[in-house]
Amino acid sequence: MAFNLTVDGTAYSVDVPADMPLLWVLRDELGLTGTKYGCGISACGACTVQIDGQAVRSCVLPISDLSGEVTTIEGLGTPENLATIQQSWIDHQVAQCGYCQPGQIMQAAAFLAENPFPTNQDIDTAMAGNLCRCGTYPRIRAAIKDAARQMRGG
Amino acid sequence: MGRAGKIARRTFLIGSAAIAGGVAFGVYKLNQTPENPLVAGDGQSILNPYILIDQTGITIITPRAEMGQGVHTSLAAMVAEELDVRWQDIRVEHGPPGAAYANDVLAKSALLIKDFEPRSNLLLKVEDNLAKAPKVFGMQLTGGSSTTADGYHKMRLAGATARQVLIEAAAKRWGGDPAELQTHDGVVISSSGKTATYTDLAAEAALIEPPQGIPLKPKSEWRYLGTSMPRVDMVSKSTGTAQYGIDTRLDGMLFASIKTNPRLGGPMISFDATAAKSQPGVRKIVDLGNGVAVIATNTWLAMQALELIDFTWGDAPYPAESAEINATIAKAFEARANTTLRNDGDPDEVLSNANPDEIITAEYSAAYLAHAAMEPLNATALFEGDKLTIWSGNQAPVYTRQKVAKAVDLPRDQVTLITPLIGGSFGRRLEFDYSIIAARIAREMPGTAIKTTWSREQDMTHDFYRPAAIARFRGLMSDTGPIVFDGKLATQSAVQSFAGRLAGLPVFGPDRVLVEGMYDQPYGIANYRVAGHIADLDLPVGFWRSVGNSHNGFFHECFMDELATANDLDPLAMRLRLMQGVHAPSAKVLERVAAMAGWTGKSGKNIGRGVAFTYSWGTPTAQIVEVRDTPNGIRITKVWAAVDVGVALDPRNIQAQVMSGIIYGLSAAMMGEITFSDGQVEQTNFPDYDALRMDNSPDIAVEVLENKDRITGIGEPGVPPAMPALANALYDLTGKRARSLPLNQHFDFA
Ligand code: FES
Ligand code: FES
């Protein structure tokens, strides 16, 4: 079946079965590999993208259920034009293997857009679905707090 | 494709007709200098196996895989420091397989010694000879927390020697004495102010015979080393542009996934793929012998089609249930010990004369564990009749290429192996199974690149697990500390399991790794014995971050805590007394962590604190864990750690590695467990094999000391003490001594 979708501001059309998860449309059909496969069952957050600004696990979203514009890590910012949160990730040297980080960053960015004054508790709750096997949590926490400060303009 | 990859591939395309430029430096103190595995392409100059210069800049070739530990940055900093280039002007790439890239430090770790003891001259000679072995046996391995120590001399020397030939090239061009010339940020400068860039001089420099014995900068002149450098992979990893193996994209590529017998090592009796064949996008079904691959136009379509295949699996070569497996491990105590590497005094004699009521005994156990790296196993291969190219994130390139070549009946030099960034490994990617499978699948469709991705379920249920282990202890105390510490261990040998896969034959012999973390701890106890027994089980086990230390650190340090608390001694003060006169840097990390945590030996209401120490991979590491009772259960609130790496090249990265090790260790201690039923692993995905998350991970403080005389690594040493420190803290909080892992079987965590 043919589906139309908009990813990072670009319109695409794909011909895939209706139940194919968005993750695999992005990765294998469109070649947008920034979004990662980790578990396929919404248990790790590696595949997190934003749909109209909301964080969504793309591994369990059938393409037929997609409505809204998709933003992936590649669309959030680029090495030449970093989003505030990406700059904060770099300032705090968060990534180790880095594989979970696109999902962490997409989750954090969506969360901060809704909650500019997060408490530690808020951060914990918002980020608990994103697994990092390298254990970068202490630095993710610091980077989120710093990004929140900067996004508030302070 | 990466630049180094291109170079390596070109090597095989144009062979010896390649432009000569590879002059190996006298970096290797070897009888025979291994061939430089790099071959220069048009306009490129290779100054040694680690440095490639062309018009676009300077590429540092690192011989080790970047899987999160930051080694591409640390190794590049070593070269850049001596080469004298700007940090932003360098690129870093993983090198091809090559004997020149062998890991000397890891080879030395095969010795049956206690690492903390001073080395005799004879021992140093033996170590030197061992360091030559890896070139012969292809030990280009990333592991054993060895990368920094292994690279410390050779990468700096490569940079210094390259700088010197660049200076000589400029001297030749301008006429005059090289000693009059200086360098600054990638430019050679004459006393009269003439300048030439390294990129401009590279072609001439490559023709100059590299000098020997170039002096290295003293520490006081370092500008990169000893400083926290921005990681070279940080921007790409924060923008989704980092290319992992799983992100490999090639023209016209197809996607595959596999299912193999969930009874590990068992055969496939039959399968029926009728329904799978007609699924959308499915191109081919491949019989792998012990399983099946589906090749399709999309990874998910391949995974879906696999679900429609009916399999009949044969039995596993090990007992079907966990209880029987554990009983088999315990049986190993009945046979002769494989080693008794600690054997001080006479524990039997002292205990036979002791009051039996005063002898403290305990049995501990730890579960099988999966590696569960975030990036599921995968590899991409392109088979073209007489040659094969494979993109595989791996920790053992020479072995991987050798195994892949054999699997597809090609000579080794017809296989090109490219090692992309790795999304976590923790030891799993020392294995070659996933590379072999990808190559075999690609052979079924010559001319088409095929990426084979394992589902999380296939990855978790087909690991080479950290073996389960059992330890039995007897101890006897005086008023100030233990006078008998008698431990024996039973577990499977990861070394023999791996070596068997590598050699294709059973491997025997004394296994040091089995008992590491238990026999080699810097404590002076009059009657101190550690014996290792190998369990005879044909269940695939492998190297899991910190290897033997991962269970032995827990056993040893929990029993140490039992001995102390049984006699109302402060467990930290008791350890310090035992270290006196044995290894001062170890005592210092313990003192440091006590100061960091404000250790008083007393913890407040609803608070528990535990301490542990493990000397692993040459790096003494002490940790204190704090837990709190909350209305929702027990929380791990804080961890303090002090480590000594001898020379701290990148303090911020060292801290990151220690934090990572602590969270990895605490995750395993709290909830990590692989169990078997019907011969199959029962845990299949993160919900049943989870790890710490943001909301239950502690604050962590790390301090790095430099009191040792030797540089050592940090990828693993953070792991072992985290587990016993947690168990000891839980004892302090609850009065309940948990002697088996995972701890969530004994306590309710928040
Ligand atoms: S891959 Fe989607 S949550 Fe894990
Ligand atoms: S950085 Fe490796 S999994 Fe998060």
Side-chain angles (χ1 to χ4, degrees), chain B residues 251-327:
Chain B
D251 285 345
M253 78 187 302
L254 291 173
F255 304 87
S257 196
I258 61 162
K259 257 195 183 187
T260 57
N261 193 340
R263 299 192 190 107
L264 305 167
M268 178 170 66
I269 314 259
S270 65
F271 71 97
D272 177 357
T274 320
K277 257 182 213 147
S278 58
Q279 286 302 296
V282 170
R283 292 296 174 79
K284 193 160 186 170
I285 311 282
V286 181
D287 181 349
L288 295 169
N290 68 337
V292 167
V294 172
I295 305 174
T297 55
N298 183 298
T299 307
W300 185 76
L301 293 174
M303 288 177 182
Q304 293 299 108
L306 280 168
E307 294 304 315
L308 299 175
I309 299 178
D310 253 340
F311 292 99
T312 311
W313 302 119
D315 287 339
Y318 49 83
E321 303 296 323
S322 274
E324 302 165 272
I325 292 170
N326 294 338

Side-chain angles (χ1 to χ4, degrees), chain A residues 18-37:
Chain A
D19 53 350
M20 181 179 286
L22 174 62
L23 171 67
W24 296 108
V25 173
L26 293 172
R27 287 187 58 81
D28 288 3
E29 304 295 325
L30 305 183
L32 295 171
T33 54
T35 306
K36 303 302 188 211
Y37 166 61

Side-chain angles (χ1 to χ4, degrees), chain A residues 23 36-48 57-60, chain B residues 686:
Chain A
L23 171 67
K36 303 302 188 211
Y37 166 61
C39 69
I41 57 167
S42 192
C44 76
C47 65
T48 306
R57 305 288 187 246
S58 65
C59 69
V60 290
Chain B
F686 293 125

Side-chain angles (χ1 to χ4, degrees), chain B residues 398-647:
Chain B
V398 172
Y399 297 153
T400 297
R401 182 171 65 165
Q402 183 179 322
K403 288 285 178 181
V404 161
K406 189 156 179 255
V408 296
D409 301 317
L410 283 175
R412 217 170 287 174
D413 59 5
Q414 292 299 97
V415 172
T416 302
L417 168 63
I418 293 145
T419 304
L421 289 175
I422 298 175
S425 183
F426 314 118
R428 177 62 178 89
R429 286 173 162 97
L430 279 164
E431 306 285 341
F432 16 79
D433 53 330
Y434 58 101
S435 300
I436 291 173
I437 287 172
R440 287 178 57 204
I441 293 170
R443 187 170 57 171
E444 298 297 315
M445 282 197 161
T448 302
I450 300 173
K451 171 157 63 190
T452 301
T453 305
W454 295 28
S455 66
R456 173 59 60 190
E457 290 79 7
Q458 172 76 18
D459 181 302
M460 195 164 285
T461 56
H462 294 77
D463 203 342
F464 296 90
Y465 300 93
R466 197 293 300 273
I470 305 170
R472 291 180 182 164
F473 292 104
R474 297 185 301 166
L476 189 67
M477 291 291 288
S478 74
D479 289 344
T480 55
I483 47 174
V484 175
F485 190 109
D486 184 22
K488 48 186 182 175
L489 171 82
T491 183
Q492 286 185 261
S493 167
V495 168
Q496 294 185 0
S497 186
F498 176 80
R501 289 190 285 282
L502 188 60
L505 303 161
V507 174
F508 304 99
D511 183 356
R512 188 197 70 78
V513 170
L514 197 81
V515 285
E516 67 184 359
M518 203 148 126
Y519 84 94
D520 51 357
Q521 298 305 295
Y523 296 118
I525 300 171
N527 303 281
Y528 195 1
R529 180 168 64 185
V530 173
H533 297 257
I534 294 183
D536 185 16
L537 263 171
D538 194 2
L539 194 161
V541 291
F543 304 119
W544 186 95
R545 196 174 187 179
S546 82
V547 199
N549 298 289
S550 70
H551 42 73
N552 294 334
F554 169 71
F555 299 151
H556 190 281
E557 288 299 285
C558 283
F559 189 62
M560 199 60 110
D561 204 68
E562 278 200 66
L563 294 177
T565 52
N567 280 41
D568 284 328
L569 294 177
D570 180 319
L572 199 148
M574 184 184 91
R575 283 180 175 84
L576 276 176
R577 272 197 299 281
L578 296 177
M579 282 175 183
Q580 228 154 61
V582 182
H583 191 242
S586 291
K588 291 217 171 91
V589 297
L590 208 44
E591 281 164 0
R592 187 70 222 136
V593 84
M596 289 168 71
W599 177 270
T600 58
K602 309 225 176 348
S603 38
K605 193 174 174 316
N606 292 331
I607 296 177
R609 282 183 165 197
V611 64
F613 167 94
T614 307
Y615 182 106
S616 67
W617 314 101
T619 302
T621 304
Q623 294 177 17
I624 291 173
V625 168
E626 181 179 276
V627 293
R628 282 176 193 250
D629 214 358
T630 78
N632 302 325
I634 298 171
R635 291 186 65 88
I636 309 172
T637 46
K638 184 91 197 184
V639 181
W640 297 267
V643 304
D644 191 334
V645 293
V647 184

Side-chain angles (χ1 to χ4, degrees), chain A residues 16-21 24-41 43-46 59 73-83 85-87 89-102 104-105 120-121 123-142 144, chain B residues 66-70 229-231 233-244 246-249 255 280 297-301 303-304 370-376 421-424 426 451 453-457 544-545 635 651-653 655-657 659-661 663-664 667-668 685-687 689-700:
Chain A
V16 297
D19 53 350
M20 181 179 286
W24 296 108
V25 173
L26 293 172
R27 287 187 58 81
D28 288 3
E29 304 295 325
L30 305 183
L32 295 171
T33 54
T35 306
K36 303 302 188 211
Y37 166 61
C39 69
I41 57 167
C44 76
C59 69
I73 184 75
E74 290 105 323
L76 191 70
T78 61
E80 295 73 34
N81 187 16
L82 294 163
I85 192 153
Q86 289 169 315
Q87 184 62 56
W89 242 247
I90 293 164
D91 293 343
H92 289 269
Q93 295 280 298
V94 172
Q96 291 190 23
C97 87
Y99 192 80
C100 72
Q101 301 298 344
Q104 305 275 7
I105 291 171
N120 285 348
Q121 180 84 49
I123 295 174
D124 281 1
T125 310
M127 301 304 295
N130 288 74
L131 181 62
C132 174
R133 281 295 274 159
C134 298
T136 60
Y137 305 123
R139 289 191 180 175
I140 292 178
R141 242 182 233 140
I144 290 178
Chain B
E66 178 57 71
M67 44 196 188
Q69 71 296 38
M229 300 301 293
R231 280 179 64 142
D233 51 359
M234 195 53 73
V235 171
S236 69
K237 286 178 174 177
S238 306
T239 52
T241 53
Q243 294 279 306
Y244 300 88
I246 205 167
D247 301 328
T248 306
R249 299 286 300 180
F255 304 87
T297 55
N298 183 298
T299 307
W300 185 76
L301 293 174
M303 288 177 182
Q304 293 299 108
H371 295 84
M374 279 309 290
E375 181 190 5
L421 289 175
I422 298 175
F426 314 118
K451 171 157 63 190
T453 305
W454 295 28
S455 66
R456 173 59 60 190
E457 290 79 7
W544 186 95
R545 196 174 187 179
R635 291 186 65 88
R652 185 169 48 187
N653 189 51
Q655 287 173 342
Q657 288 311 299
M659 286 185 197
S660 170
I663 290 176
Y664 202 74
S667 296
N685 205 320
F686 293 125
Y689 190 86
D690 210 343
L692 288 185
R693 305 277 183 144
M694 182 77 93
D695 59 339
N696 56 0
S697 65
D699 282 340
I700 301 173

